[in-house]
């Protein structure tokens, strides 16, 4: 198949080429994001492959349909950027990577927490300038602290396990309770109780209509004064102005964010020589109690390899298999990656 890869960075290409080495697809790597303006670049391909910030909106899907594209592979887990209903109506099949190293994101959440708590970024800057003072660098022991985990799926579970290893007490909120975590001593509580008791809250649920702006003035007020908030899931979980207010007042002790609600326009692009038009993002990146990373939670060699393999395998499988065979094949192996046809929705 001829496949156009949108938003494809140079560091992804070797992984995709390696995964394609025993398959016979023709891969076109495009740096452009998929938008109604760039969708014409899909012409001449049978399938396209997109990433987290490529918006599969109704107009874009309609344009893809007109170009005869019937197959879209997401090389990510989350699919909040997809108008699944329109894709179904148009008969465009959408698939994703339902699972890859959850450790990559969980460990990044820990890195954000540890960097904020122990002021590692500030210490790095100081020692580079031969300033070996410790004023302002004091942190707290994580040992014995209460960690709230919102969403205990694959990543939330990996994060909870690490926190248990630190000697923390883990409190969780999820509609689906994990028997494994309960056995490990994790306590499931209502959301307001997790928020009010936790010293650190880490978000690991998907962005859905229900979780959109989960963190608002109201839920922030429920949090312990000085608590830390870590968000490696999706920016839309936070009402950013409310979070900024809480950070400035000190009610929220710190924010570690790998995602930002309006990240599509900025992340994965070098803005260092341009004016930053987004005032909220500008404030976030400059507040001393905030650490922003540009959606790099997934970015480990192991995860990249798995994403590339699953994506290419999905495309090959769908190209070759009959519908009947596809469903049983996927269900039996890695979890069905099809969003359309079978509507896998958590
Ligand atoms: P998962 O599907 O294994 O787990 C999600 C969990 O959230 C499930 O247990 C589900 O029951 C729970 N959940 C759903 N709605 C909820 C609600 N209203 N309240 C509380 N819990 C709720 O997904 P996984 O693999 O753990 O990924 C979680 C999220 O992490 C993804 O949806 C994606 O947004 C984000 N992600 C971020 C990456 C990054 O690079 N920063 C990379 C991969 C995923």
């Amino acid at each position: 198949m001829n496949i156009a890869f949108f938003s494809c960075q140079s560091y992804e290409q070797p992984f995709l080429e390696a995964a394609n080495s025993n398959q016979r697809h023709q891969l076109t790597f495009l740096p452009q994001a998929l938008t109604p303006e760039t969708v014409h670049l899909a012409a001449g391909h049978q399938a396209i492959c997109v990433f987290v910030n490529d918006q599969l909106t109704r107009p874009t899907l309609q344009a893809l349909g007109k170009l005869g594209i019937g197959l879209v592979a997401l090389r990510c887990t989350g699919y909040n950027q997809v108008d699944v209903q329109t894709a179904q109506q148009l008969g465009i099949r959408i698939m994703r990577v339902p699972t890859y190293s959850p450790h990559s994101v969980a460990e990044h959440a820990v890195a954000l927490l540890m960097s904020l708590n122990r002021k590692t970024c500030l210490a790095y800057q100081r020692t580079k300038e031969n300033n070996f003072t410790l004023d302002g660098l004091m942190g707290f022991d994580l040992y014995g602290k209460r960690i709230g985990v919102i969403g205990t799926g694959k990543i939330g579970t990996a994060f909870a396990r690490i926190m248990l290893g630190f000697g923390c007490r883990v409190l969780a909120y999820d509609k689906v309770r994990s028997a494994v975590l309960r056995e490990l001593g994790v306590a499931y509580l209502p959301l307001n109780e997790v928020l009010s008791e936790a010293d650190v809250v880490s978000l690991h649920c998907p962005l859905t209509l229900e979780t959109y702006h989960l963190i608002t003035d109201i839920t922030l007020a429920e949090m312990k004064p000085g608590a830390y908030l870590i968000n490696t899931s999706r920016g839309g979980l936070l009402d950013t102005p409310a979070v900024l207010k809480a950070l400035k007042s000190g009610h929220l002790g710190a924010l570690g964010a790998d995602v930002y609600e309006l990240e599509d326009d900025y992340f994965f692009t070098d803005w260092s020589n341009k004016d930053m038009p987004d005032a909220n993002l500008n404030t976030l990146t400059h507040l001393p109690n905030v650490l922003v990373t540009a959606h790099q939670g997934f970015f480990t060699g192991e995860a990249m390899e798995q994403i590339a393999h699953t994506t290419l395998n999905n495309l090959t499988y769908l190209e070759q298999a009959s519908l009947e065979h596809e469903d049983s094949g996927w269900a039996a192996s890695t979890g069905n990656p099809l969003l359309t046809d079978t509507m896998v929705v958590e």
Side-chain angles (χ1 to χ4, degrees):
M1 256 193 306
N2 287 328
I3 309 161
F5 287 75
F6 282 85
S7 296
C8 196
Q9 305 284 343
S10 53
Y11 47 72
E12 293 181 78
Q13 294 171 17
F15 291 98
L16 294 164
E17 275 161 354
N20 192 40
S21 61
N22 57 353
Q23 310 198 36
R24 294 212 191 90
H25 300 298
Q26 282 80 50
L27 314 186
T28 307
F29 299 124
L30 301 167
Q32 292 90 342
L34 178 68
T35 65
E37 290 72 41
T38 62
V39 65
H40 64 92
L41 297 170
H45 299 87
Q46 279 96 51
I48 65 161
C49 181
V50 298
F51 196 44
V52 283
N53 291 330
D54 293 308
Q55 301 297 327
L56 286 155
T57 56
R58 191 173 174 81
T60 302
L61 286 164
Q62 284 171 332
L64 285 172
K66 282 188 189 142
L67 291 171
I69 307 277
L71 209 50
V72 177
L74 311 180
R75 46 186 195 283
C76 57
T77 304
Y79 53 87
N80 48 284
Q81 73 278 35
V82 184
D83 179 345
V84 176
Q85 209 181 357
T86 298
Q88 273 185 314
Q89 284 163 5
L90 295 169
I92 297 177
R93 310 180 88 185
I94 313 275
M95 49 195 163
R96 63 178 180 139
V97 182
T99 186
Y100 61 87
S101 171
H103 311 291
S104 59
V105 186
E107 289 172 15
H108 190 67
V110 178
L112 290 173
L113 170 56
M114 291 302 289
S115 305
L116 284 163
N117 175 22
R118 304 308 296 266
K119 322 287 185 282
T120 321
C121 300
L122 185 56
Y124 172 84
Q125 285 166 3
R126 280 195 195 169
T127 55
K128 288 281 161 206
E129 292 169 2
N130 292 337
N131 175 352
F132 303 110
T133 63
L134 298 185
D135 312 71
L137 300 188
M138 192 168 71
F140 56 83
D141 282 4
L142 271 168
Y143 179 84
K145 292 293 182 298
R146 293 175 176 216
I147 311 294
V149 181
I150 314 297
T152 52
K154 294 176 284 295
I155 296 170
T157 295
F159 178 79
R161 282 176 178 276
I162 300 172
M163 290 294 98
L164 289 168
F166 271 70
C168 299
R169 171 107 172 90
V170 177
L171 314 174
Y173 170 71
D174 195 317
K175 287 181 287 186
V176 183
R177 297 177 172 204
S178 154
V180 174
L181 285 186
R182 288 173 82 167
E183 258 183 44
L184 290 171
V186 170
Y188 278 92
L189 297 172
L191 179 61
N192 63 326
E193 288 182 34
V194 174
L195 294 176
S196 63
E197 290 186 26
D199 300 290
V200 174
V201 172
S202 194
L203 305 178
H204 298 288
C205 54
L207 176 61
T208 61
L209 286 177
E210 197 185 342
T211 61
Y212 174 72
H213 285 187
L214 181 79
I215 302 297
T216 59
D217 277 330
I218 296 165
T219 40
L220 282 161
E222 286 173 337
M223 288 176 69
K224 253 185 168 176
Y228 279 31
L229 178 64
I230 307 295
N231 184 14
T232 55
S233 277
R234 285 293 180 265
L237 297 180
L238 309 189
D239 174 352
T240 307
V243 169
L244 280 172
K245 203 167 82 186
L247 283 163
K248 286 177 186 170
S249 74
H251 179 69
L252 190 58
L255 170 72
D258 187 45
V259 285
Y260 173 62
E261 187 165 5
L262 304 174
E263 69 180 51
D264 314 19
D265 292 335
Y266 309 105
F267 284 13
F268 312 127
T269 308
D270 184 358
W271 274 77
S272 57
N273 290 320
K274 298 180 211 163
D275 282 335
M276 168 48 66
D278 187 318
N280 286 340
L281 180 56
N282 204 38
T283 308
L284 281 174
T285 52
H286 287 88
L287 279 175
N289 52 348
V290 176
L291 177 51
V292 175
T293 52
H295 210 135
Q296 68 176 77
F298 70 97
F299 198 38
T300 65
E302 290 83 351
M304 294 295 285
E305 211 174 289
Q306 287 172 27
I307 291 169
H309 272 280
T310 304
T311 301
L312 269 297
N313 285 345
N314 284 349
L315 287 158
T316 303
Y317 196 90
L318 205 52
E319 187 186 30
Q320 291 172 353
S322 71
L323 186 59
E324 210 179 41
H325 183 203
E326 285 155 23
D327 287 345
S328 57
W330 270 314
S333 55
T334 57
N336 194 331
L338 272 179
L339 292 184
T340 47
D341 296 344
T342 48
M343 279 293 288
V344 178
V345 178
E346 289 96 328

